[in-house]
Amino acid sequence: MEYLKGLNPSQRAAVEQTKGPVMIVAGAGSGKTRVITYRVAHLIRTGVDPFNLLVLTFTNKAAKEMRNRIMDVVGSEAKNIWMGTFHSVFAKILRFEANKIGYPTNFTIYDTDDSKSLIRSILKEQQLDDKLYNANFVYNRISSAKNNLISAAEYQKNAQIQSEDFSSGRGRLGEIYHTYTQRCFKAGAMDFDDILFKTNVLLREHPDVLYKYQNKFKYLMVDEYQDTNYSQYLIVKKLAAINENLCVVGDDAQSIYAFRGANIQNILNFEKDYPDLKVFKLEQNYRSTQNIVNVANSIIANNKNQLKKNVFSENEDGDKIKIARAFSDNEEGKIVAESIIQERSLKGLKYQDFAILYRTNAQSRAMEEALRKLNVPYKIYGGMSFYQRKEIKDLIAYFRLTFNPNDEEALKRVINYPKRGIGDTSMERIIIAADKNNTTPWEIIKDAPSYLESRTAAPAGGFATMIQSFQAVAKHQSAYDAALHIAQHSGLLKDLYSDKSIEGLSRYENIQELLNGIKEFSEREDLEERGLDIFMQDVALLTNDDNDKNPDADTVSLMTIHSAKGLEFPHVYIVGLEENLFPSQMSVNSRSDLEEERRLFYVAITRAEKKLTISYATSRYRWGTLTSCEPSRFIDEIDARYLELAYGEQQKSIERNPFFADRLESPGVDSFSKPKPKTGALKTTSMLPKAHVPSAGFAPSDTSGLQVGMEVEHERFGYGKVINIEGSKSDIKATIFFKELGQKQLLLKFAKLRIVT
């Protein structure tokens, strides 16, 4: 039991409590993964059969990391644990049991694009306004219903739901949901939400199946339990009902996925389901400095709806947190980029030591521009996944058809790619014929001469013959050999190879990379099944966090805070801390939404290991209009004792300037400083300079007679004094020392200055 010696008392107690319901409340950076892996290893070491263990995670990456760590303790027995994401584990179970709910065992899993494509087809067929019935909106509505276990039939019977739909002018949503469900079923396909929805149906309607898996999974562990939705909650509760050896691990302070169905009440009310619950709190943060932990605690303390814990750190105090103010989002980007250059140079750091986190993807633009200007390499996370690229989806569609030719979305995607004389009109005829004969498009093209005119029948029949040949190959060859055969004989590889453009070459290389990945997959020794169909299932169930992030690349990381969950960086910049941006405008109307935004800020803060900088802009373009911004209320909630007193060169020059000497009631701020607080913990935004509000009736003056020494007002920069004028005629430039900003050089014909004196 050497592995237990490296645990602190709280961690060890949680690991050794193997019986009954257990909740491990794991604060940020508290060694949660170590506790989960050692607890699983401890169960195996104390006699539990790994085949009776079910460990559920939210990313494949997390499952893989945990399994590898468990293998370090118990060896190859770790391969026998049922471990993976909710969707991967229950997709596997559905493969075994699909026939009980009317699905083929080789059912296709539709990704989001497939689902939205099918919805767009239905909207077109039903001649509905695609602006009112936007495919994204319809998809999200159906997804939300499934996550709350509302079937299409129940949706149409629910008076409240129907009332909401009709009042919004979308009274046919229930009909669309019903048609969508039928089309998926006919195609032998489940969408991402169906994996959990159909699992609930399976366990509810087939008690024998439920009993089978209740007895198989004698011990359950669920990671990130605060992120579970209603559907996941019910599955876990049903499976654990007999033995009640259920351990959930999570942190209510990091529950940030309500927008995709996560229900924080699952963890807050866990004790109500299990009165005999034993609770262990992991409160020591091993990741961050004491100042960062203290700032995080001071923020989350403002949430009323939480499990109380006292997170602490025994690391060094570290740098205090810096507040950076910018006059615009572009200047905010410039400040951050210059800071990264400076920190990297002074401390010998790598670019990969830095991360810039923001509330919305749109904020990346200003950061990207600033980094590019200074030649700072960066990578944006949450961009297009490798598996979302067109050429990759095209080849995978051929794979899908090989194993499930009834997959309508895959069929529509590649039946005429490469071109083979089956255009949109022909495809419409095939679909009409299928509907008329109550069958699938595949059955129509398989017997094309019986249903289609000769001009369409010949190429359609040829396509069907090709797919049937792929099916024969896939039965007898390895995943890689079958994939290569399909890529070559579908004509896809030839089509991409013939495109000699840079983009064409890139697409061809992407296909080669996919084939390389399948080759590696087919040679893995840790998998019982390595067929092409299993590879496709793994791809379909990839989560956003499983995309290749190449941790060895020396680049600054840019990402939304949601994407940053589970990651950590030595230096973190949280940008855009402004009212109506963070917290978002949509979140300030209810306590629950505002508390989720505060938890999101908590998650952002706790990504930082050594140094944290928070920035905001006093003006930002929104919908093409420059608007003034207020600092976020969250800045106001930071205990001022943990904020740095930093006086830069700009501040010193302001203090030395006699023009401002009598106007400074207290020290101002430079790019990375905050005002000097009084004693104790103070509200900080009241001390931070606000955006300049132009004087009443502000109007630019004629500046043709502007002279050194004059006082002026700028609409954004505020009041300043002219200290130099140079240039001639239309290119006259004025150097002005602004009270809040410092020295700026402005081209007078564009400056829009009001002369004060």
Side-chain angles (χ1 to χ4, degrees), residues 5 25 36 155 196 219 268 322 335 367 402 509 519 538 544 557 575 579 616 632 695:
K5 294 181 179 178
V25 182
I36 294 173
Y155 188 101
L196 301 181
Y219 292 83
L268 294 179
K322 293 183 176 180
I335 288 171
M367 297 297 137
T402 299
E509 289 174 345
K519 178 74 169 177
D538 287 352
N544 289 336
S557 299
V575 301
E579 284 293 300
Y616 69 97
S632 168
S695 57

Side-chain angles (χ1 to χ4, degrees), residues 291-300 319-328 331-333 335-337 339-340 343 354-359 363 367 561 570-579 581-583 597-598 600-608 610-618 620 630-640 642-644 646 669-675 684-685 688-689:
N291 280 320
I292 291 171
V293 170
N294 289 337
V295 164
N297 287 342
S298 71
I299 289 294
I300 205 63
D319 293 339
K320 291 190 176 183
I321 282 61
K322 293 183 176 180
I323 303 293
R325 186 195 68 168
F327 284 87
S328 68
E331 187 183 43
E332 183 182 36
I335 288 171
V336 170
S339 172
I340 290 173
E343 290 287 329
F354 298 88
I356 302 172
L357 310 183
Y358 35 77
R359 179 65 180 83
Q363 291 171 257
M367 297 297 137
I561 301 166
H571 289 236
V572 169
Y573 296 82
I574 309 173
V575 301
L577 259 290
E578 299 141 31
E579 284 293 300
L581 181 56
F582 197 10
E597 287 286 293
R598 190 176 285 114
L600 190 60
F601 187 37
Y602 176 87
V603 167
I605 291 169
T606 53
R607 299 312 94 198
K610 300 291 184 184
K611 194 163 186 176
L612 174 65
T613 299
I614 297 167
S615 66
Y616 69 97
T618 58
R620 189 179 293 271
E630 292 182 32
S632 168
R633 69 188 71 190
F634 295 153
I635 297 179
D636 216 29
E637 294 172 357
I638 299 175
D639 192 323
Y642 309 121
L643 298 178
E644 184 181 42
V669 272
D670 63 7
S671 294
F672 285 101
S673 66
K674 70 160 200 67
T684 57
T685 54
L688 291 170

Side-chain angles (χ1 to χ4, degrees), residues 323-471:
I323 303 293
R325 186 195 68 168
F327 284 87
S328 68
D329 50 353
N330 286 333
E331 187 183 43
E332 183 182 36
K334 181 172 179 285
I335 288 171
V336 170
E338 289 177 347
S339 172
I340 290 173
I341 291 285
Q342 183 180 29
E343 290 287 329
R344 179 175 175 271
S345 175
L346 291 176
K347 299 179 181 178
L349 302 172
K350 296 181 178 179
Y351 286 120
Q352 65 189 29
D353 294 328
F354 298 88
I356 302 172
L357 310 183
Y358 35 77
R359 179 65 180 83
T360 66
N361 278 308
Q363 291 171 257
S364 73
R365 180 201 57 79
M367 297 297 137
E368 287 186 74
E369 289 182 5
L371 294 170
R372 280 200 300 267
K373 285 178 182 177
L374 294 179
N375 295 316
V376 175
Y378 66 90
K379 181 175 181 180
I380 294 182
Y381 294 98
M384 181 181 286
S385 160
F386 175 79
Y387 292 101
Q388 292 300 316
R389 300 179 188 277
K390 179 186 180 301
E391 61 275 14
I392 301 301
K393 289 179 73 71
D394 288 339
L395 183 52
I396 288 178
Y398 275 110
F399 298 164
R400 283 164 48 177
L401 278 178
T402 299
F403 292 96
N404 178 16
N406 289 321
D407 185 339
E408 183 180 328
E409 288 306 303
L411 180 67
K412 288 191 295 186
R413 185 177 188 95
V414 296
I415 193 170
N416 200 40
Y417 177 69
K419 292 187 181 300
R420 50 178 62 92
I422 313 174
D424 291 343
T425 302
S426 297
M427 191 63 212
E428 285 179 12
R429 289 173 182 155
I430 292 169
I431 291 174
I432 290 170
D435 290 341
K436 184 178 179 180
N437 292 277
N438 193 29
T439 187
T440 65
W442 169 251
E443 295 299 325
I444 298 298
I445 67 171
K446 195 168 63 168
D447 190 14
S450 301
Y451 298 100
L452 305 170
E453 60 184 36
S454 58
R455 187 174 59 179
T456 304
F463 179 79
T465 301
M466 179 182 69
I467 296 300
Q468 288 171 325
S469 72
F470 293 166
Q471 292 173 327

Side-chain angles (χ1 to χ4, degrees), residues 424-587:
D424 291 343
T425 302
S426 297
M427 191 63 212
E428 285 179 12
R429 289 173 182 155
I430 292 169
I431 291 174
I432 290 170
D435 290 341
K436 184 178 179 180
N437 292 277
N438 193 29
T439 187
T440 65
W442 169 251
E443 295 299 325
I444 298 298
I445 67 171
K446 195 168 63 168
D447 190 14
S450 301
Y451 298 100
L452 305 170
E453 60 184 36
S454 58
R455 187 174 59 179
T456 304
F463 179 79
T465 301
M466 179 182 69
I467 296 300
Q468 288 171 325
S469 72
F470 293 166
Q471 292 173 327
V473 169
K475 283 182 181 178
H476 305 292
Q477 295 191 9
S478 70
Y480 172 73
D481 290 335
L484 181 59
H485 178 91
I486 293 169
Q488 291 173 335
H489 290 82
S490 65
L492 188 147
L493 263 185
K494 181 181 178 182
D495 185 75
L496 291 177
Y497 185 75
S498 64
D499 183 353
K500 300 301 182 182
S501 67
I502 295 175
E503 292 80 8
L505 176 62
S506 175
R507 288 192 286 268
Y508 182 79
E509 289 174 345
N510 286 337
I511 291 294
Q512 294 295 340
E513 183 59 31
L514 174 63
L515 293 172
N516 291 340
I518 297 173
K519 178 74 169 177
E520 182 182 355
F521 171 85
S522 66
E523 295 175 351
R524 283 176 57 180
E525 296 180 357
D526 61 330
L527 297 175
E528 295 178 16
E529 299 178 273
R530 297 191 290 273
L532 185 57
D533 55 335
I534 304 300
F535 174 83
M536 286 161 43
Q537 176 175 298
D538 287 352
V539 169
L541 296 175
L542 281 174
T543 66
N544 289 336
D545 295 322
D546 297 317
N547 298 333
D548 178 22
K549 292 180 178 167
N550 189 8
D552 296 324
D554 191 21
T555 56
V556 174
S557 299
L558 275 67
M559 67 189 80
T560 64
I561 301 166
H562 284 100
S563 298
K565 190 166 182 288
L567 303 178
E568 55 193 52
F569 303 90
H571 289 236
V572 169
Y573 296 82
I574 309 173
V575 301
L577 259 290
E578 299 141 31
E579 284 293 300
N580 298 325
L581 181 56
F582 197 10
S584 72
Q585 191 170 7
M586 301 295 291
S587 71

Side-chain angles (χ1 to χ4, degrees), residues 51-52 207-219 238-239 242-243:
F51 283 101
N52 296 140
D208 57 321
V209 176
L210 174 59
Y211 185 74
K212 170 183 172 181
Y213 289 101
Q214 283 175 332
N215 282 278
K216 176 175 180 57
F217 302 130
K218 300 184 186 302
Y219 292 83
K238 286 177 181 177
L239 290 177
I242 291 180
N243 298 296

Side-chain angles (χ1 to χ4, degrees), residues 101-318:
I101 54 174
Y103 276 83
T105 56
N106 63 341
F107 62 82
T108 297
I109 300 173
Y110 279 177
D111 65 14
T112 302
D113 287 344
D114 295 321
S115 297
K116 290 180 181 177
S117 174
L118 176 55
I119 288 169
R120 279 190 284 269
S121 296
I122 293 169
L123 296 176
K124 185 178 179 181
E125 291 162 15
Q126 297 186 2
Q127 298 181 327
L128 294 170
D129 184 350
D130 60 0
K131 292 182 180 177
L132 184 61
Y133 290 92
N134 177 274
N136 290 329
F137 176 85
V138 175
Y139 171 79
N140 289 332
R141 188 73 168 170
I142 293 173
S143 175
S144 177
K146 288 182 179 179
N147 284 331
N148 287 286
L149 301 183
I150 301 171
S151 68
E154 291 167 332
Y155 188 101
Q156 291 178 298
K157 293 177 183 176
N158 189 299
Q160 181 179 345
I161 292 176
Q162 292 301 300
S163 175
E164 290 176 5
D165 287 351
F166 276 100
S167 65
S168 69
R170 300 184 180 94
R172 295 182 65 180
L173 278 171
E175 181 184 342
I176 297 168
Y177 184 9
H178 178 72
T179 304
Y180 173 79
T181 301
Q182 285 186 319
R183 292 280 280 275
C184 286
F185 185 75
K186 188 185 288 187
M190 295 187 194
D191 65 21
F192 203 64
D193 297 308
D194 276 329
I195 302 300
L196 301 181
F197 182 83
K198 299 297 183 184
T199 299
N200 270 291
V201 171
L202 176 68
L203 299 180
R204 182 183 68 217
E205 297 182 358
H206 297 275
D208 57 321
V209 176
L210 174 59
Y211 185 74
K212 170 183 172 181
Y213 289 101
Q214 283 175 332
N215 282 278
K216 176 175 180 57
F217 302 130
K218 300 184 186 302
Y219 292 83
L220 281 76
M221 285 193 71
V222 184
D223 187 20
E224 304 287 8
Y225 189 69
Q226 78 280 351
D227 293 334
T228 53
N229 60 28
Y230 179 63
S231 183
Q232 292 162 327
Y233 161 80
L234 272 188
I235 292 172
V236 170
K237 188 175 182 183
K238 286 177 181 177
L239 290 177
I242 291 180
N243 298 296
E244 288 200 347
N245 292 322
L246 170 62
C247 174
V248 301
V249 186
D251 181 8
D252 60 295
Q254 297 185 65
S255 178
I256 59 173
Y257 294 118
F259 68 94
R260 67 186 191 197
N263 186 354
I264 192 174
Q265 297 304 320
N266 290 348
I267 192 168
L268 294 179
N269 296 332
F270 191 67
E271 191 167 3
K272 292 181 180 178
D273 289 331
Y274 302 96
D276 297 331
L277 178 71
K278 290 184 170 56
V279 179
F280 300 91
K281 295 183 179 181
L282 309 182
E283 297 174 307
Q284 183 172 354
N285 181 306
Y286 291 93
R287 174 190 302 155
S288 307
T289 63
Q290 291 186 38
N291 280 320
I292 291 171
V293 170
N294 289 337
V295 164
N297 287 342
S298 71
I299 289 294
I300 205 63
N302 291 277
N303 272 11
K304 292 185 177 180
N305 204 14
Q306 62 174 299
L307 298 171
K308 293 294 183 182
K309 54 186 174 297
N310 178 36
V311 179
F312 66 95
S313 173
E314 293 183 354
N315 296 335
E316 61 183 359
D317 289 346

